[in-house]
Amino acid sequence: LLLNAALLVFLLFPVAYPFAWLAANAYLLSREYFELAALRHLDAKSARALRKQNGVALFFGGIVAAGLFALPVVNLIAPVIVTMAMVHSFHRWRS
């Protein structure tokens, strides 16, 4: 909530706002959905370490997730798609 509230500053620069919104929500969504998948199998410390180890790939997955959530009608099934993607990513990175 605080990160999205901080984005209000970017409304002064209309060209930069969509990119700032996408970056902030990509970070938040990738973190949340990855931890949703990882915490079912690992403790919090190990899940955090795995998330930090694969941060760049996770961020790009978050960009896709934020894009899916921004599309009308697609956003209804986006949580299922993003959860499946993060579960597959978790199992790939864990092994």
Side-chain angles (χ1 to χ4, degrees):
L1 185 63
L2 292 174
L3 188 58
N4 277 306
L7 288 177
L8 294 175
V9 173
F10 285 97
L11 286 175
L12 299 173
F13 310 102
V15 175
Y17 180 76
F19 299 108
W21 179 88
L22 186 65
N25 284 298
Y27 168 73
L28 292 171
L29 286 170
S30 65
R31 181 179 176 145
E32 184 68 27
Y33 277 94
F34 182 76
E35 287 184 0
L36 174 115
L39 289 176
R40 293 185 58 85
H41 302 281
L42 300 174
D43 60 302
K45 186 177 179 182
S46 300
R48 190 177 314 113
L50 187 61
R51 180 178 50 83
K52 288 182 180 182
Q53 183 180 5
N54 299 294
V56 175
L58 206 54
F59 179 74
F60 285 115
I63 289 175
V64 173
L68 288 174
F69 277 100
L71 296 172
V73 181
V74 176
N75 64 3
L76 297 174
I77 193 143
V80 175
I81 294 170
V82 175
T83 301
M84 288 187 324
M86 291 300 170
V87 167
H88 286 288
S89 297
F90 166 74
H91 285 293
R92 185 174 3 148
W93 293 331
R94 185 177 178 203
S95 60

